[in-house]
Amino acid sequence: MPYFPPSIVTIDLSAITHNFRKVKKRVGPSVKVLAVVKSDGYGHGLVQAAKRLSSSFGASRDEAADAFGVSFVQEGITLRKAGVKEPIMVLGGALHGEEDAVPVHSLVPFVSSMEGIQRLNAAGKKARRKIKVHIKADTGMSRLGMPLKEVLPSLRECSKLKFIKVEGLCTHFAFAFLKDKKKNLRQLKRFDNLVQEVRKEGHAIPTIHACNSAGIFAYPEAHYDMVRPGIVLYGSSPFDYPFPGLDLKPAMRWTTRIVHIRELKKGDTVSYGGNFTVSRDSRIAALPVGYARGLFRNLSGRIQVLVRGRRVQQVGTICMDFTSIDVSAIDNCRVGEEAILIGSENGEEITASEMAGNLGSISYEIHCHVGSLAKRRYVK
Ligand SMILES: Cc1ncc(COP(=O)(O)O)c(C=O)c1O
């Protein structure tokens, strides 16, 4: 039997392109798309995801992002060093001490305070370069973002700063993934009012934007000049309810192989603590994947995996490097057979969202966690 790695995350880059096209179709040709590739491309690879959607790396016009979004300056530098030429926006802003790198690498930070803007102005002065920024207005997320009443005074101050150009005004939705639209519409109204006031005062800001993935699909009236999809690019729904017609392709598949099979007698227990007792004579298979490689221990007993396209139950406590599944129902199941933790086979599918639901979390966390801990490989 040939060598196989304990578990492997396969990233299908063509799925990212497919999902990007769905966003393009939704927003139309006049709205720009900033592809959010922060946090290592939600576990899919920062550089690999960005290159796939970059015209400098061969993406065609309707498959190419207009800009990329990262959380931190360091991620922006990584993209620049990889040769990405598009605008790179730092959604989390420049942290203290990172300002000087912003003009060097032509990054575009979001800003949430006048203090942050002043720090960037000083960095621009040192580098003798104007720094483009996007002012992030807090309309209800209450995390980053400028209080609404500070936005106009800040814009007035910015117009006096020699090394700052306010290129964008944006907000971030806290409720767009919910079925009940009330709270998100309240946020949107606040932002819309702000945009009107800013225009009335004559500030020319080229790029107004608000929508994350959920906003793109549920609030077409909020597309403005640009949208910022993240999770949908990787093929998961942002919604906590079934949203019709998304037609996304999951880009991440997580597989492993059976390394050992034990015949157990009724009454035997499985794994640490013996939390699982077999209720009849059973065949229990060991998979070489555990919490050290992305399979949360809190999923113990709560997930199924696919073997030959059939769902089988994970049993007993998930260990650091191994976990057990009950393969009694699979005829003549053998060592070396593939087991799918996330992915589809023969019409049966286990999604990151399903795994997240069993954990009491969201697909975002599963993607980031699995993608960073398991070995990754790419297919086009
Ligand atoms: C400012 C901002 N815009 C867009 C996104 C993308 O969000 P999503 O992955 O839900 O599309 C994020 C992610 O958290 C964000 O922080």
Side-chain angles (χ1 to χ4, degrees):
M1 198 179 293
Y3 167 77
F4 53 84
S7 89
I8 193 136
V9 165
T10 306
I11 307 294
D12 178 358
L13 293 170
S14 70
I16 294 179
T17 296
H18 167 93
N19 299 328
F20 183 86
R21 290 181 77 106
K22 295 291 157 192
V23 170
K24 278 299 260 190
K25 191 164 169 224
R26 182 71 176 164
V27 301
S30 60
V31 175
K32 289 185 179 170
V33 180
L34 172 157
V36 180
V37 292
K38 65 179 187 155
S39 302
D40 206 15
Y42 292 39
H44 295 70
L46 165 70
V47 170
Q48 291 88 344
K51 279 185 171 177
R52 179 71 190 193
L53 298 174
S54 166
S55 56
S56 14
F57 288 89
S60 65
R61 211 161 149 243
D62 52 350
E63 294 177 350
D66 299 283
F68 292 101
V70 294
S71 274
F72 301 111
V73 164
Q74 202 51 52
E75 295 170 309
I77 296 172
T78 302
L79 283 188
R80 281 282 177 259
K81 287 189 172 162
V84 171
K85 302 276 187 295
E86 288 80 355
I88 297 173
M89 309 209 178
V90 184
L91 313 188
L95 304 180
H96 284 259
E98 290 182 332
E99 303 82 5
D100 289 347
V102 168
V104 173
H105 299 281
S106 301
L107 304 177
V108 181
F110 286 11
V111 287
S112 295
S113 69
M114 212 44 233
E115 180 271 334
I117 294 172
Q118 292 287 9
R119 281 192 282 119
L120 288 165
N121 187 58
K125 187 173 178 185
K126 234 196 280 180
R128 298 177 172 281
R129 284 183 63 179
K130 233 178 168 70
I131 293 178
K132 291 179 184 166
V133 298
H134 287 220
I135 290 184
K136 188 178 202 179
D138 180 15
T139 54
M141 178 77 178
S142 311
R143 183 183 61 176
L144 300 175
M146 204 176 259
L148 287 177
K149 61 179 186 331
E150 290 179 19
V151 174
L152 275 170
S154 298
L155 279 171
R156 289 174 208 133
E157 270 195 66
C158 282
S159 64
K160 295 181 218 148
L161 295 177
K162 227 169 135 187
F163 297 96
I164 292 292
K165 174 169 170 45
V166 180
E167 186 195 52
L169 174 65
C170 65
T171 195
H172 189 45
F173 290 145
F175 310 103
F177 65 98
L178 298 171
K179 191 166 191 186
D180 184 347
K181 291 193 158 186
K182 248 192 323 277
K183 287 183 182 156
N184 207 65
L185 285 173
R186 198 182 312 149
Q187 253 195 286
L188 181 52
K189 182 91 194 121
R190 285 185 193 135
F191 187 59
D192 224 33
N193 289 343
L194 176 69
V195 171
Q196 302 310 324
E197 285 175 43
V198 165
R199 286 190 177 135
K200 212 157 72 193
E201 233 188 66
H203 300 282
I205 301 180
T207 312
I208 308 287
H209 51 111
C211 283
N212 53 6
S213 294
I216 290 166
F217 288 92
Y219 297 88
E221 70 273 33
H223 288 167
Y224 297 100
D225 304 306
M226 187 172 83
V227 293
R228 309 186 305 262
I231 194 74
V232 286
L233 297 178
Y234 308 105
S236 282
S237 167
F239 297 103
D240 75 342
Y241 62 99
F243 191 94
L246 281 179
D247 187 21
L248 303 173
K249 279 193 188 158
M252 182 181 281
R253 182 180 171 87
W254 188 20
T255 54
T256 181
R257 282 182 193 275
I258 292 169
V259 290
H260 191 64
I261 297 178
R262 294 274 293 105
E263 308 277 350
L264 298 191
K265 293 277 176 229
K266 180 179 173 185
D268 286 344
T269 64
V270 179
S271 191
Y272 291 120
N275 294 337
F276 178 77
T277 306
V278 295
S279 56
R280 56 191 154 85
D281 293 357
S282 303
R283 306 190 82 216
I284 303 295
L287 304 175
V289 57
Y291 56 79
R293 290 288 174 274
L295 193 60
F296 284 104
R297 190 173 180 276
N298 270 354
L299 288 171
S300 295
R302 297 187 184 169
I303 54 165
Q304 296 179 325
V305 305
L306 299 181
V307 176
R308 293 189 207 157
R310 287 181 61 183
R311 283 175 175 264
V312 303
Q313 184 63 39
Q314 184 276 322
V315 293
T317 304
I318 292 170
C319 307
M320 189 181 288
D321 297 309
F322 290 92
T323 192
S324 302
I325 57 174
D326 185 345
V327 293
S328 307
I330 308 286
D331 274 349
N332 196 22
C333 189
R334 277 189 291 259
V335 166
E337 289 205 52
E338 186 180 67
I340 300 172
L341 295 147
I342 295 174
S344 60
E345 189 177 25
N346 296 342
E348 190 63 75
E349 182 174 29
I350 293 177
T351 61
S353 298
E354 175 182 326
M355 188 176 273
N358 291 324
L359 188 66
S361 183
I362 52 177
S363 63
Y364 298 64
E365 187 181 11
I366 297 293
H367 286 311
C368 291
H369 189 69
V370 173
S372 65
L373 289 178
K375 186 177 167 54
R376 276 197 308 240
R377 75 159 185 222
Y378 290 86
V379 293
K380 301 227 162 105

